[in-house]
Each structure stands twice: as C-alpha cells, then as structure tokens.
Amino acid sequence: MNVVVIGAGGHGREVAEIVHQQTRRDEDTRLLGFIDEDGTVHGQARDHLPILGGWSWFDGVDRNDVRVICAVGSPPDCRRLVQKARDLGLAFVSAVSPLAHVSSLARLGHGVTIFPHVVVNTGVQIGNYSILNLAVTVSHDSKVGAYCNLNPGVHVAGNVSIGEGCYIGMGSTIIQNRSIGPWTIVGAGAAVVRDLDANVTAVGVPAKIMKRGSVV
C-alpha cells in the first residue's frame, strides 16, 4: 500500500513523520510524498519527501493501491479536501503515532491523526478525519466529532461532547460533562466550564463567547 499526504505545510510534514514511523513497522506500506494545491511548490521536497503535484497526480496512478491522509489543520479546509479526495474515489488511512496511548476500548474513525504522547482513554470516540495534536488527552467516554482539530496540550475531561468541525486551541481545557456545538472555535489557553453553542468563538478563563456566526 502506498500513502500520500494531502498538504505539504508544516503540519503535513509532522503527519508524514508519523506515517513514516508506521511504515517502519509495516514493510508493505510505503510513503510516497505529498500532494498540494499550491502549484509553486510542485517538484520540491519537504524533509526528503517529494511534493508530487496537485490533484491531477492521481490521474496517472492506480488509485486502488494508494491511500491518503489529510494533513491540513483548518477544519473547513480539511472537510473540503476530504470531499475532493472522496470524489476522486480515494481511500483514507489513519496516522497513529507509536508513542501515543489509545485504549483498546476507544473507537477511532477513518483518516484520523494521533500525534505522539496523546492519550485516548476507555470509551472515547474520535470522529473521521479529526486531529489530536501533540500531548492531547481525552478522558473516558468523551466524543470528538469529525473534522475536529485539538491543538497541542488540549485536555478533555470525561463525558465531554465536542461537535463536528471544532477547533480547540493550544493548551485549553474542557471540564467533565460539557458540550461544545459543531464548528465552534475555542481560543488557546481557554477553560471551558460551561456548554458552548455551535458556530461561536470562545476565549478566556473561564471561556466566554466573543463572537457568533458560522465559520464554514
């Protein structure tokens, strides 16, 4: 199986490193490189891996032998790119660092990315195409929707519900039994101690809603 990373930015390079660690354990998997919509970087290399081209690169390959993973941190952009890949008939692979702890009783969706030192505890559900960045912890029975990005150092207590497409800023915390509606942004370092509606931006300690309105 060949793997291609969608997105050749800094986040994409980090995801590629996780995939590379996986391929070292699986001799049948090979990391080919990146594709990127920015034509000015085509033909260049990132961390010794080639930027193969744009979406048209897939026209010349056997798509049954290629798996992709979306490595773009913006939830709306991730959703758009995932839909494009699915329209092309591409299948997804997940990138789970061998340095992460994922409970055997947790459930991971398709195309998720789990960074080093992440802890996903018992009963947790992680939605399709979501990202758990460096040192994120998600406690028992919490649910993270599709297309979410939990940035480095986020801590989620037990029985929390995070809706689709949420962007949870670096170092923020969410106490137990809270709910965050879809496509909401939580600022870096915030402490979520009350439920948050969908499509809002909340910042501070405790987190307060500063803006309402759709981000998608």
Short mmCIF file of all heavy atoms in Angstrom, two decimals, residues 75 143-150 160-168 174 177-186 192 194-202 207 209 211-216:
data_model
loop_
_atom_site.label_atom_id
_atom_site.label_comp_id
_atom_site.label_asym_id
_atom_site.label_seq_id
_atom_site.Cartn_x
_atom_site.Cartn_y
_atom_site.Cartn_z
N PRO A 75 -10.32 23.07 10.12
CA PRO A 75 -11.43 22.14 9.89
C PRO A 75 -12.23 22.38 8.61
O PRO A 75 -12.52 21.41 7.89
CB PRO A 75 -12.28 22.30 11.15
CG PRO A 75 -11.29 22.65 12.22
CD PRO A 75 -10.32 23.57 11.52
N LYS A 143 -16.60 12.25 23.39
CA LYS A 143 -16.81 12.10 21.96
C LYS A 143 -16.29 13.34 21.23
O LYS A 143 -16.60 14.47 21.61
CB LYS A 143 -18.30 11.92 21.65
CG LYS A 143 -18.90 10.67 22.27
CD LYS A 143 -20.39 10.56 21.96
CE LYS A 143 -21.00 9.31 22.60
NZ LYS A 143 -22.46 9.22 22.31
N VAL A 144 -15.50 13.09 20.20
CA VAL A 144 -14.95 14.16 19.35
C VAL A 144 -15.50 13.94 17.96
O VAL A 144 -15.30 12.86 17.37
CB VAL A 144 -13.42 14.14 19.35
CG1 VAL A 144 -12.87 15.21 18.41
CG2 VAL A 144 -12.87 14.33 20.76
N GLY A 145 -16.18 14.94 17.40
CA GLY A 145 -16.80 14.79 16.09
C GLY A 145 -15.80 14.79 14.95
O GLY A 145 -14.59 14.96 15.13
N ALA A 146 -16.31 14.59 13.75
CA ALA A 146 -15.48 14.59 12.55
C ALA A 146 -14.87 15.97 12.29
O ALA A 146 -15.43 16.99 12.68
CB ALA A 146 -16.32 14.16 11.35
N TYR A 147 -13.71 15.98 11.64
CA TYR A 147 -13.02 17.19 11.17
C TYR A 147 -12.55 18.10 12.29
O TYR A 147 -12.23 19.27 12.05
CB TYR A 147 -13.91 18.00 10.21
CG TYR A 147 -14.46 17.23 9.05
CD1 TYR A 147 -15.82 16.92 8.97
CD2 TYR A 147 -13.63 16.79 8.03
CE1 TYR A 147 -16.33 16.21 7.90
CE2 TYR A 147 -14.14 16.07 6.95
CZ TYR A 147 -15.49 15.79 6.89
OH TYR A 147 -16.01 15.08 5.84
N CYS A 148 -12.49 17.61 13.51
CA CYS A 148 -12.03 18.46 14.61
C CYS A 148 -10.50 18.55 14.63
O CYS A 148 -9.81 17.63 14.18
CB CYS A 148 -12.51 17.92 15.96
SG CYS A 148 -14.27 18.14 16.26
N ASN A 149 -10.00 19.65 15.18
CA ASN A 149 -8.56 19.80 15.42
C ASN A 149 -8.38 20.19 16.88
O ASN A 149 -8.71 21.30 17.28
CB ASN A 149 -7.97 20.86 14.50
CG ASN A 149 -6.45 20.97 14.63
OD1 ASN A 149 -5.85 20.37 15.51
ND2 ASN A 149 -5.84 21.74 13.74
N LEU A 150 -7.83 19.26 17.67
CA LEU A 150 -7.47 19.53 19.05
C LEU A 150 -5.98 19.81 19.08
O LEU A 150 -5.16 18.93 18.81
CB LEU A 150 -7.81 18.33 19.95
CG LEU A 150 -9.26 18.23 20.46
CD1 LEU A 150 -10.25 18.16 19.31
CD2 LEU A 150 -9.41 17.04 21.39
N VAL A 160 -17.33 14.38 27.85
CA VAL A 160 -17.42 15.62 27.09
C VAL A 160 -17.87 15.29 25.67
O VAL A 160 -17.49 14.25 25.11
CB VAL A 160 -16.07 16.35 27.08
CG1 VAL A 160 -16.06 17.48 26.04
CG2 VAL A 160 -15.74 16.89 28.46
N SER A 161 -18.66 16.18 25.08
CA SER A 161 -19.07 16.04 23.69
C SER A 161 -18.58 17.25 22.89
O SER A 161 -18.93 18.38 23.21
CB SER A 161 -20.59 15.93 23.58
OG SER A 161 -20.99 15.88 22.23
N ILE A 162 -17.77 17.00 21.88
CA ILE A 162 -17.24 18.05 21.01
C ILE A 162 -17.81 17.81 19.62
O ILE A 162 -17.58 16.75 19.02
CB ILE A 162 -15.70 18.04 20.98
CG1 ILE A 162 -15.14 18.26 22.39
CG2 ILE A 162 -15.17 19.10 20.01
CD1 ILE A 162 -13.63 18.16 22.48
N GLY A 163 -18.55 18.77 19.10
CA GLY A 163 -19.23 18.60 17.83
C GLY A 163 -18.30 18.64 16.63
O GLY A 163 -17.12 18.96 16.72
N GLU A 164 -18.85 18.31 15.49
CA GLU A 164 -18.11 18.29 14.22
C GLU A 164 -17.43 19.63 13.95
O GLU A 164 -17.98 20.70 14.20
CB GLU A 164 -19.08 17.97 13.08
CG GLU A 164 -18.46 18.02 11.69
CD GLU A 164 -19.45 17.70 10.60
OE1 GLU A 164 -19.89 16.52 10.55
OE2 GLU A 164 -19.82 18.60 9.83
N GLY A 165 -16.19 19.56 13.43
CA GLY A 165 -15.51 20.73 12.91
C GLY A 165 -15.02 21.72 13.93
O GLY A 165 -14.69 22.86 13.57
N CYS A 166 -14.90 21.33 15.19
CA CYS A 166 -14.43 22.27 16.21
C CYS A 166 -12.91 22.43 16.15
O CYS A 166 -12.17 21.48 15.87
CB CYS A 166 -14.83 21.80 17.60
SG CYS A 166 -16.59 21.99 17.94
N TYR A 167 -12.47 23.63 16.44
CA TYR A 167 -11.04 23.96 16.52
C TYR A 167 -10.76 24.35 17.96
O TYR A 167 -11.22 25.40 18.44
CB TYR A 167 -10.70 25.10 15.57
CG TYR A 167 -9.24 25.43 15.48
CD1 TYR A 167 -8.42 24.83 14.53
CD2 TYR A 167 -8.66 26.37 16.34
CE1 TYR A 167 -7.07 25.15 14.44
CE2 TYR A 167 -7.31 26.69 16.26
CZ TYR A 167 -6.53 26.07 15.29
OH TYR A 167 -5.19 26.38 15.21
N ILE A 168 -10.04 23.49 18.68
CA ILE A 168 -9.78 23.69 20.11
C ILE A 168 -8.34 24.14 20.27
O ILE A 168 -7.41 23.39 19.97
CB ILE A 168 -10.05 22.39 20.90
CG1 ILE A 168 -11.42 21.79 20.54
CG2 ILE A 168 -9.96 22.68 22.40
CD1 ILE A 168 -12.60 22.68 20.83
N ILE A 174 -11.21 21.39 28.95
CA ILE A 174 -12.66 21.25 28.95
C ILE A 174 -13.03 20.35 30.11
O ILE A 174 -12.60 19.19 30.17
CB ILE A 174 -13.17 20.66 27.62
CG1 ILE A 174 -12.65 21.48 26.43
CG2 ILE A 174 -14.70 20.60 27.61
CD1 ILE A 174 -12.86 20.81 25.09
N ASN A 177 -18.35 16.56 31.48
CA ASN A 177 -19.79 16.67 31.19
C ASN A 177 -20.17 17.92 30.41
O ASN A 177 -21.35 18.28 30.36
CB ASN A 177 -20.62 16.62 32.49
CG ASN A 177 -20.38 15.36 33.29
OD1 ASN A 177 -20.30 14.27 32.72
ND2 ASN A 177 -20.22 15.51 34.60
N ARG A 178 -19.21 18.58 29.78
CA ARG A 178 -19.53 19.77 28.98
C ARG A 178 -19.80 19.35 27.53
O ARG A 178 -19.38 18.31 27.06
CB ARG A 178 -18.41 20.78 29.01
CG ARG A 178 -18.08 21.39 30.38
CD ARG A 178 -19.27 22.07 31.02
NE ARG A 178 -20.00 21.14 31.88
CZ ARG A 178 -21.17 21.38 32.42
NH1 ARG A 178 -21.78 22.52 32.20
NH2 ARG A 178 -21.76 20.49 33.18
N SER A 179 -20.47 20.24 26.81
CA SER A 179 -20.80 20.03 25.40
C SER A 179 -20.39 21.26 24.60
O SER A 179 -20.67 22.40 25.01
CB SER A 179 -22.30 19.76 25.25
OG SER A 179 -22.65 19.66 23.88
N ILE A 180 -19.74 21.03 23.46
CA ILE A 180 -19.35 22.11 22.55
C ILE A 180 -20.00 21.83 21.21
O ILE A 180 -19.82 20.76 20.61
CB ILE A 180 -17.81 22.18 22.41
CG1 ILE A 180 -17.17 22.48 23.76
CG2 ILE A 180 -17.42 23.24 21.38
CD1 ILE A 180 -15.65 22.51 23.72
N GLY A 181 -20.77 22.80 20.73
CA GLY A 181 -21.50 22.61 19.48
C GLY A 181 -20.61 22.58 18.26
O GLY A 181 -19.45 23.01 18.30
N PRO A 182 -21.13 22.08 17.12
CA PRO A 182 -20.34 21.97 15.90
C PRO A 182 -19.77 23.30 15.42
O PRO A 182 -20.38 24.36 15.59
CB PRO A 182 -21.35 21.42 14.89
CG PRO A 182 -22.40 20.75 15.71
CD PRO A 182 -22.50 21.56 16.97
N TRP A 183 -18.57 23.20 14.84
CA TRP A 183 -17.90 24.32 14.17
C TRP A 183 -17.67 25.51 15.09
O TRP A 183 -17.71 26.67 14.69
CB TRP A 183 -18.66 24.73 12.90
CG TRP A 183 -18.78 23.57 11.96
CD1 TRP A 183 -19.86 22.77 11.80
CD2 TRP A 183 -17.75 23.03 11.13
NE1 TRP A 183 -19.59 21.77 10.90
CE2 TRP A 183 -18.29 21.91 10.47
CE3 TRP A 183 -16.44 23.40 10.86
CZ2 TRP A 183 -17.57 21.14 9.55
CZ3 TRP A 183 -15.71 22.64 9.95
CH2 TRP A 183 -16.27 21.53 9.31
N THR A 184 -17.38 25.21 16.34
CA THR A 184 -17.04 26.24 17.32
C THR A 184 -15.53 26.30 17.49
O THR A 184 -14.82 25.29 17.38
CB THR A 184 -17.75 25.95 18.66
OG1 THR A 184 -19.09 26.46 18.56
CG2 THR A 184 -17.07 26.60 19.84
N ILE A 185 -15.02 27.50 17.76
CA ILE A 185 -13.59 27.74 18.00
C ILE A 185 -13.40 28.07 19.48
O ILE A 185 -14.09 28.93 20.03
CB ILE A 185 -13.08 28.90 17.14
CG1 ILE A 185 -13.20 28.56 15.65
CG2 ILE A 185 -11.64 29.25 17.50
CD1 ILE A 185 -12.91 29.74 14.73
N VAL A 186 -12.44 27.38 20.10
CA VAL A 186 -12.07 27.66 21.48
C VAL A 186 -10.64 28.19 21.46
O VAL A 186 -9.73 27.55 20.92
CB VAL A 186 -12.16 26.41 22.37
CG1 VAL A 186 -11.63 26.70 23.77
CG2 VAL A 186 -13.61 25.91 22.43
N VAL A 192 -12.99 25.71 29.39
CA VAL A 192 -14.42 25.56 29.09
C VAL A 192 -15.09 24.92 30.29
O VAL A 192 -14.89 23.73 30.58
CB VAL A 192 -14.63 24.71 27.82
CG1 VAL A 192 -16.13 24.54 27.55
CG2 VAL A 192 -13.94 25.37 26.63
N ARG A 194 -18.56 25.75 30.90
CA ARG A 194 -19.98 25.73 30.58
C ARG A 194 -20.14 25.26 29.15
O ARG A 194 -19.23 25.38 28.34
CB ARG A 194 -20.60 27.13 30.73
CG ARG A 194 -20.53 27.69 32.15
CD ARG A 194 -21.17 29.07 32.21
NE ARG A 194 -21.12 29.64 33.57
CZ ARG A 194 -20.08 30.30 34.05
NH1 ARG A 194 -19.00 30.51 33.28
NH2 ARG A 194 -20.09 30.78 35.29
N ASP A 195 -21.32 24.76 28.81
CA ASP A 195 -21.60 24.33 27.45
C ASP A 195 -21.45 25.51 26.49
O ASP A 195 -21.75 26.66 26.85
CB ASP A 195 -23.01 23.77 27.33
CG ASP A 195 -23.20 22.46 28.08
OD1 ASP A 195 -22.18 21.88 28.53
OD2 ASP A 195 -24.36 22.02 28.20
N LEU A 196 -21.00 25.22 25.28
CA LEU A 196 -20.86 26.24 24.24
C LEU A 196 -21.75 25.89 23.06
O LEU A 196 -21.82 24.73 22.64
CB LEU A 196 -19.41 26.34 23.78
CG LEU A 196 -18.39 26.83 24.81
CD1 LEU A 196 -16.97 26.78 24.24
CD2 LEU A 196 -18.72 28.25 25.28
N ASP A 197 -22.40 26.90 22.50
CA ASP A 197 -23.26 26.71 21.33
C ASP A 197 -22.44 26.39 20.09
O ASP A 197 -21.21 26.54 20.07
CB ASP A 197 -24.08 27.97 21.07
CG ASP A 197 -25.02 28.31 22.21
OD1 ASP A 197 -25.41 27.38 22.95
OD2 ASP A 197 -25.36 29.50 22.34
N ALA A 198 -23.13 26.01 19.03
CA ALA A 198 -22.50 25.81 17.73
C ALA A 198 -22.10 27.16 17.12
O ALA A 198 -22.71 28.20 17.41
CB ALA A 198 -23.46 25.09 16.79
N ASN A 199 -21.07 27.15 16.31
CA ASN A 199 -20.67 28.30 15.49
C ASN A 199 -20.38 29.56 16.31
O ASN A 199 -20.79 30.66 15.96
CB ASN A 199 -21.76 28.62 14.46
CG ASN A 199 -21.97 27.49 13.48
OD1 ASN A 199 -21.03 27.05 12.81
ND2 ASN A 199 -23.19 26.99 13.40
N VAL A 200 -19.65 29.36 17.43
CA VAL A 200 -19.24 30.52 18.21
C VAL A 200 -17.72 30.47 18.41
O VAL A 200 -17.08 29.44 18.19
CB VAL A 200 -19.94 30.58 19.59
CG1 VAL A 200 -21.44 30.64 19.42
CG2 VAL A 200 -19.54 29.40 20.47
N THR A 201 -17.16 31.59 18.82
CA THR A 201 -15.75 31.66 19.22
C THR A 201 -15.73 32.04 20.70
O THR A 201 -16.32 33.04 21.10
CB THR A 201 -14.99 32.70 18.40
OG1 THR A 201 -15.01 32.32 17.02
CG2 THR A 201 -13.54 32.80 18.86
N ALA A 202 -15.05 31.22 21.51
CA ALA A 202 -14.99 31.45 22.95
C ALA A 202 -13.54 31.50 23.40
O ALA A 202 -12.71 30.68 22.97
CB ALA A 202 -15.73 30.35 23.70
N ALA A 207 -13.98 30.32 29.78
CA ALA A 207 -14.24 30.69 28.38
C ALA A 207 -15.57 31.42 28.25
O ALA A 207 -16.58 30.99 28.78
CB ALA A 207 -14.25 29.43 27.52
N ILE A 209 -18.10 33.52 25.31
CA ILE A 209 -18.37 33.68 23.88
C ILE A 209 -18.09 35.13 23.48
O ILE A 209 -18.64 36.06 24.03
CB ILE A 209 -19.82 33.29 23.55
CG1 ILE A 209 -20.03 31.79 23.82
CG2 ILE A 209 -20.16 33.63 22.10
CD1 ILE A 209 -21.48 31.35 23.69
N LYS A 211 -17.81 35.83 19.91
CA LYS A 211 -18.28 36.02 18.55
C LYS A 211 -19.24 34.91 18.21
O LYS A 211 -19.05 33.76 18.59
CB LYS A 211 -17.09 36.03 17.57
CG LYS A 211 -17.46 36.23 16.11
CD LYS A 211 -16.21 36.21 15.25
CE LYS A 211 -16.55 36.36 13.78
NZ LYS A 211 -15.33 36.29 12.92
N ARG A 212 -20.28 35.27 17.47
CA ARG A 212 -21.23 34.28 16.95
C ARG A 212 -21.26 34.37 15.43
O ARG A 212 -21.11 35.43 14.86
CB ARG A 212 -22.62 34.51 17.52
CG ARG A 212 -22.73 34.29 19.02
CD ARG A 212 -24.16 34.44 19.52
NE ARG A 212 -24.24 34.25 20.97
CZ ARG A 212 -24.45 33.07 21.53
NH1 ARG A 212 -24.60 31.99 20.77
NH2 ARG A 212 -24.50 32.96 22.86
N GLY A 213 -21.48 33.24 14.81
CA GLY A 213 -21.53 33.23 13.36
C GLY A 213 -20.77 32.05 12.81
O GLY A 213 -19.79 31.58 13.37
N SER A 214 -21.25 31.54 11.68
CA SER A 214 -20.69 30.33 11.08
C SER A 214 -19.27 30.56 10.59
O SER A 214 -18.94 31.63 10.04
CB SER A 214 -21.56 29.87 9.91
OG SER A 214 -20.99 28.75 9.27
N VAL A 215 -18.43 29.54 10.78
CA VAL A 215 -17.06 29.58 10.25
C VAL A 215 -16.94 28.77 8.98
O VAL A 215 -15.86 28.63 8.43
CB VAL A 215 -16.04 29.07 11.29
CG1 VAL A 215 -16.05 29.95 12.51
CG2 VAL A 215 -16.32 27.61 11.67
N VAL A 216 -18.04 28.19 8.50
CA VAL A 216 -18.00 27.35 7.29
C VAL A 216 -18.96 27.90 6.26
O VAL A 216 -19.80 28.72 6.55
CB VAL A 216 -18.35 25.89 7.63
CG1 VAL A 216 -17.30 25.30 8.52
CG2 VAL A 216 -19.72 25.78 8.29
#
